[in-house]
Amino acid sequence: MNAQTYMNFHGILLYRKNFKERDMLVKFLTAEAGKKMFFIRGARKRGFKMMPDILPFTYGLYSGKISRDNLSYIYSALDTDHYENISQDIYLNAYATYIMSLIDVAFPDSTPILGWFNKLFEALKLINNGIDAAIITNIIEIQLLNVFGVQPEFRGCTICGRNDLPMDYSEAYGGLICAKHYHMDPHRLHLDAKTVFYLRKFSVIDIQKINNINVNENTKRNLRNVLDKLYQDTVGINLKSKHFLDQINDLKL
Ligand SMILES: [Zn+2]
């Protein structure tokens, strides 16, 4: 890519923040150029004409100037839409925001990640359409572990490769261990069979092929706990959006 390229691009808005008195910085994940920060002059002025095109939870086709190293610019919005249900529901809002901030920290700016653009687009669409946001979030979290360099082994026992025995997760071995090898890790996580089943399934599931998924509340809690543990112990990021999500979920109980 040249230092600056005038082009149409597909974008999913990740977040926005106020800049100076009247302007805004808006970060998009673009299909063509990866994550990019855009300077939107006059975005906070009354009657700004692109206002609906840069609302939170907007996606679409834009035209602008993409800079390789500096801020980029949007000249016009060609065709945009909103994840309407997400923007109106505080829970869906919190899940979607967390997913987007995870993707934001997982990848460097300006690196095309078309596969993850599609994945995010699909994840938000599913959440917007009423598919369980907690589960969609778990799938994204599990599949991002590789990106964070964790690469847990979910295919079979990390020690012997078997996958026909009961399995548990071992942080020490960085993956599943089979019942024959439980004695190798006294600190294995003692996960129940259902939780292991979904961890394995979610690690390989194609999010674009999901049309419904039902997991009981107990297993959902277990999945949340194990993913929190894996993220804490191996990824070690601390996201405001995750704290917020935890807080509103605590209030719900
Ligand atoms: Zn084994």
Side-chain angles (χ1 to χ4, degrees), residues 156-162 165 167 176-182:
C157 174
T158 52
I159 298 166
C160 69
R162 281 181 80 150
L165 295 173
M167 297 276 188
L176 299 176
I177 51 174
C178 75
K180 250 178 72 181
H181 289 110
Y182 282 175

Side-chain angles (χ1 to χ4, degrees), residues 12-15 27 29 35 56-58 83 86 92-107 120 124 140 144 239 241:
I12 303 170
L13 193 150
L14 296 179
Y15 69 84
K27 195 165 205 182
L29 174 56
K35 293 184 299 154
F57 310 109
T58 297
Y83 296 106
I86 293 177
L92 302 187
N93 199 305
Y95 280 108
T97 302
Y98 169 52
I99 288 176
M100 291 196 283
S101 55
L102 263 185
I103 288 176
D104 191 22
V105 295
F107 297 97
L120 175 61
L124 295 175
I140 295 287
L144 273 176
L239 296 176
S241 57

Side-chain angles (χ1 to χ4, degrees), residues 212-245:
N212 199 12
I213 201 152
N214 276 314
V215 181
N216 71 46
E217 288 302 317
N218 190 40
T219 305
K220 276 169 69 174
R221 248 191 318 276
N222 293 339
L223 284 165
R224 182 68 270 145
N225 290 339
V226 65
L227 278 160
D228 280 346
K229 182 147 182 56
L230 288 182
Y231 264 79
Q232 254 164 41
D233 295 348
T234 60
V235 180
I237 48 171
N238 208 352
L239 296 176
K240 246 196 303 188
S241 57
K242 179 60 165 57
H243 290 298
F244 181 68
L245 179 61

